[in-house]
Amino acid sequence: MQGQLFTQDFLLRGIRETPPWQMLGEAELAAFTRTLAEIFAALGADTALNEAQTEQLVIERVLAALGWRDDYLPQVKLSGKRREDVPDVLLFESARAKAAALAEPKDERRFRHGLAILEAKRWVVCPRWA
């Protein structure tokens, strides 16, 4: 499982024990599953998207399906002088938190208002899923 954030066991079983999963209704889960199926239906085994295309065609749509409508910022720099440490997305709990981040004069200070960061990579279909 090297390089993966969650174990397969957590994604298949453990997640069902978390409060957010337990609060999720059957209809909500079915709607979310349909939305994900629509997003991924256009991406066949031969699809080759670069990172920016993956962000636009997959990540942004999944974020919207998860409820992150406008409460995020792309490409916020952690380093004041260089282009190092630039996560793809900084997620905020609310529009108010995002507004507070935007009021910061320096990019790297915006992270104090964030809830999580998201790092996206180019689309690569796993051969066993194709």
Side-chain angles (χ1 to χ4, degrees), residues 14-89:
I15 196 169
R16 296 173 188 271
E17 297 174 18
T18 64
W21 179 277
Q22 292 173 350
M23 291 177 2
L24 189 63
E26 293 285 330
E28 292 172 299
L29 179 58
F32 179 69
T33 302
R34 280 192 304 276
T35 300
L36 289 182
E38 291 169 8
I39 292 169
F40 290 101
L43 305 174
D46 60 341
T47 300
L49 301 177
N50 64 30
E51 187 172 322
Q53 293 163 339
T54 299
E55 288 173 21
Q56 180 186 21
L57 298 174
V58 179
I59 302 300
E60 289 179 10
R61 292 175 181 175
V62 171
L63 283 174
L66 289 169
W68 297 96
R69 301 290 177 221
D70 187 272
D71 297 335
Y72 63 90
L73 288 174
Q75 305 288 318
V76 179
K77 294 189 309 185
L78 278 167
S79 172
K81 297 180 181 176
R82 300 177 302 238
R83 178 115 173 97
E84 295 176 4
D85 300 324
V86 183
D88 293 310
V89 177

Side-chain angles (χ1 to χ4, degrees), residues 8-19:
Q8 186 173 4
D9 182 62
F10 175 77
L11 294 173
L12 294 175
R13 289 178 282 289
I15 196 169
R16 296 173 188 271
E17 297 174 18
T18 64

